[in-house]
């Protein structure tokens, strides 16, 4: 899970998006990240990233694609919550991953976050009629090449170590030249 940013031509402020991919090292994702946002190729940076191996009490593993129909009861959801503060022109966002059996449960879990306690009002999204800006199954966000080769395996494992969140400006050109692991 990678938060990428940059200023597309003709924009006045930096823009951001979230990219999901599968790789042994973060730098291996660069071609797919550029394909994901071609207008910023060579002009984008990474603001944060996370190797997703645990969400809540669940272990998340990448496994070779099984030709049988996916029988997972739980799914991994990406949720982008939006909210406002009085007298502040900004819409704030809180990005999180949630394991749930369906969209309704994922929404309920996401709305239990502390994000809402710090904002005057939530953003009501016309598409879903719920207090989220975006909610997707992560498997639907993967590049088709990743989806053809891999599946997400979700198992109940509260003993797994929490993921480390890497936060801070990282130029992709420096990433390519360095040995960062994803």
């Amino acid at each position: 899970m990678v938060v990428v940013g940059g200023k597309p031509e003709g924009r006045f402020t930096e823009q951001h998006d979230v990219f999901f991919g599968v790789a042994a090292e973060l730098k291996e994702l660069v071609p797919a990240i550029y394909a994901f946002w071609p207008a910023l190729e060579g002009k984008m940076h990474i603001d944060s990233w996370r190797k997703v191996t645990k969400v809540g009490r669940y272990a998340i593993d990448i496994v070779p694609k099984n030709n049988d129909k996916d029988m997972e009861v739980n799914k991994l959801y990406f949720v982008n919550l939006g909210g406002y503060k009085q007298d502040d022109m900004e819409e704030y966002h809180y990005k999180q991953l949630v394991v749930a059996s369906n969209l309704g449960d994922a929404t309920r879990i996401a709305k239990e976050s502390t994000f809402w306690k710090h904002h005057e009002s939530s953003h009501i999204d016309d598409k879903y009629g719920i207090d989220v800006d975006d909610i997707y199954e992560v498997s639907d966000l993967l590049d088709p090449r990743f989806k053809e080769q891999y599946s997400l395996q979700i198992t109940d494992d509260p003993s797994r170590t929490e993921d480390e969140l890497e936060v801070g400006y990282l130029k992709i050109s420096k990433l390519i030249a360095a040995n960062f692991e994803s």
Side-chain angles (χ1 to χ4, degrees):
M1 178 177 174
V2 183
V3 175
V4 292
K7 190 162 75 169
E9 189 174 325
R11 299 291 177 209
F12 298 117
T13 61
E14 185 175 288
Q15 313 288 297
H16 295 91
D17 208 341
V18 177
F19 171 83
F20 289 90
V22 178
E25 293 186 22
L26 182 60
K27 68 182 178 180
E28 293 174 10
L29 292 176
V30 172
I33 291 171
Y34 284 159
F36 169 71
W37 204 347
L40 287 180
E41 184 171 345
K43 298 183 255 176
M44 72 173 66
H45 60 272
I46 293 172
D47 284 303
S48 62
W49 63 277
R50 168 185 175 188
K51 181 177 181 178
V52 179
T53 63
K54 183 178 181 183
V55 174
R57 61 178 288 119
Y58 297 95
I60 310 297
D61 293 297
I62 304 295
V63 296
K65 185 79 170 177
N66 186 342
N67 289 335
D68 296 332
K69 183 71 177 158
D70 183 16
M71 301 304 283
E72 291 289 335
V73 173
N74 287 316
K75 295 175 174 54
L76 180 62
Y77 290 91
F78 165 69
V79 185
N80 181 33
L81 302 172
Y84 301 94
K85 291 183 180 180
Q86 189 169 347
D87 299 322
D88 191 334
M89 219 171 200
E90 189 70 36
E91 178 185 358
Y92 293 91
H93 290 94
Y94 180 74
K95 296 161 183 55
Q96 71 183 107
L97 296 173
V98 171
V99 172
S101 60
N102 59 56
L103 181 67
D105 285 345
T107 301
R108 180 186 51 75
I109 293 167
K111 288 169 69 174
E112 293 171 0
S113 77
T114 58
F115 176 80
W116 296 111
K117 296 176 185 173
H118 300 287
H119 292 80
E120 293 290 323
S121 64
S122 59
H123 178 75
I124 306 300
D125 188 291
D126 295 331
K127 185 173 180 181
Y128 297 106
I130 53 180
D131 301 323
V132 298
D133 277 354
D134 307 288
I135 186 166
Y136 302 99
E137 276 188 51
V138 169
S139 59
D140 291 339
L141 300 178
L142 291 172
D143 181 282
R145 292 170 291 172
F146 296 132
K147 288 196 282 191
E148 289 170 6
Q149 295 180 357
Y150 305 104
S151 294
L152 298 178
Q153 181 178 321
I154 301 169
T155 54
D156 192 351
D157 183 1
S159 66
R160 186 173 277 190
T161 305
E162 292 291 329
D163 295 335
E164 190 172 330
L165 180 60
E166 302 289 338
V167 179
Y169 187 91
L170 173 61
K171 285 186 175 183
I172 290 183
S173 59
K174 286 188 177 181
L175 171 65
I176 295 169
N179 261 339
F180 291 96
E181 289 193 19
S182 65

